[in-house]
């Protein structure tokens, strides 16, 4: 992969091993389409969501791409009465990332981050490298070296 994103540079600075993935030459838009384009299990591909709590604090949640964030579970995980998704236009000024290219690594500020507990079941998880078309694959243990996060059950229960 020729192009390096800031996320990749940050991982390299911290000597954290990662695998870069690109889907820039596909028309994948949704996370599930991205997983398919990469030939990866959607349960192992994660999306980064930014929310705001009742206290006006911001929180980052990292969940599988095919899942939906359960706002009640998310609020409980960070000790808030409630949380809601931030508006798309607030994302760039707040995090430095655009919708679809948001990564838990390298945001303008550090926010309390919670990763869905399903991540613990994988050797590596895949998430945005900070730019649409690029993903990085990192072990959950190595991710802890660059982002302080807690694991918690965050997704809506679905009857599958």
């Amino acid at each position: 992969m020729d192009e390096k994103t800031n996320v990749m540079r940050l991982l390299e600075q911290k000597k954290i091993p990662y695998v870069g993935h690109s889907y820039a030459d596909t028309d994948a838009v949704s996370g599930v389409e991205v997983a398919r384009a990469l030939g990866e299990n959607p349960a192992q591909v994660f999306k980064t969501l930014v929310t705001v709590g009742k206290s006006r604090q911001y929180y980052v949640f990292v969940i599988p791409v095919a899942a939906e964030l359960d706002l009640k579970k998310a609020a409980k995980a960070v000790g808030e009465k409630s949380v809601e998704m931030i508006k798309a236009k607030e994302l760039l000024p707040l995090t430095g990332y655009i919708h679809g290219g948001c990564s838990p690594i390298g945001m303008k500020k550090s926010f309390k981050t919670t990763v869905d507990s399903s991540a613990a079941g994988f050797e590596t998880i895949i998430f945005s490298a900070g730019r649409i078309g690029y993903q990085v694959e990192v072990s959950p243990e190595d991710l802890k070296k660059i982002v302080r996060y807690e694991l918690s059950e965050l997704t809506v229960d679905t009857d599958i």
Side-chain angles (χ1 to χ4, degrees):
M1 182 176 308
D2 308 335
E3 266 196 83
K4 283 236 174 23
T5 67
N6 281 345
V7 169
M8 293 171 187
R9 283 191 273 280
L10 288 165
L11 288 167
E12 286 170 8
Q13 276 169 10
K14 300 260 187 210
K15 308 258 187 288
I16 295 172
Y18 72 91
V19 177
H21 295 277
S22 172
Y23 61 95
D25 54 355
T26 74
D27 54 5
V29 177
S30 76
V32 174
E33 289 168 346
V34 169
R36 203 173 298 131
L38 296 175
E40 298 292 345
N41 173 356
Q44 193 177 352
V45 180
F46 284 68
K47 58 188 171 187
T48 305
L49 304 173
V50 183
T51 64
V52 60
K54 194 110 174 110
S55 67
R56 309 310 302 148
Q57 294 286 318
Y58 293 99
Y59 301 97
V60 175
F61 295 99
V62 182
I63 68 169
V65 292
E68 194 182 322
L69 183 66
D70 183 318
L71 294 174
K72 283 190 174 73
K73 287 179 185 172
K76 190 175 162 210
V78 295
E80 281 277 0
K81 277 197 174 77
S82 64
V83 295
E84 59 186 43
M85 298 299 295
I86 66 166
K87 292 176 181 56
K89 67 176 193 293
E90 294 171 29
L91 192 62
L92 182 61
L94 184 69
T95 65
Y97 289 126
I98 61 166
H99 183 75
C102 192
S103 177
I105 298 172
M107 289 191 184
K108 282 183 177 178
K109 287 196 200 110
S110 283
F111 299 109
K112 184 174 173 84
T113 301
T114 308
V115 175
D116 187 69
S117 51
S118 67
F122 294 104
E123 297 257 312
T124 57
I125 59 170
I126 301 166
F127 52 87
S128 176
R131 190 178 312 146
I132 292 174
Y134 297 91
Q135 302 265 304
V136 289
E137 184 173 346
V138 178
S139 81
E141 283 311 301
D142 283 338
L143 181 58
K144 270 215 150 96
K145 296 175 186 167
I146 196 165
V147 176
R148 292 208 338 259
Y149 70 85
E150 301 291 318
L151 283 174
S152 191
E153 205 171 292
L154 297 172
T155 58
V156 173
D157 293 324
T158 50
D159 303 323
I160 298 176

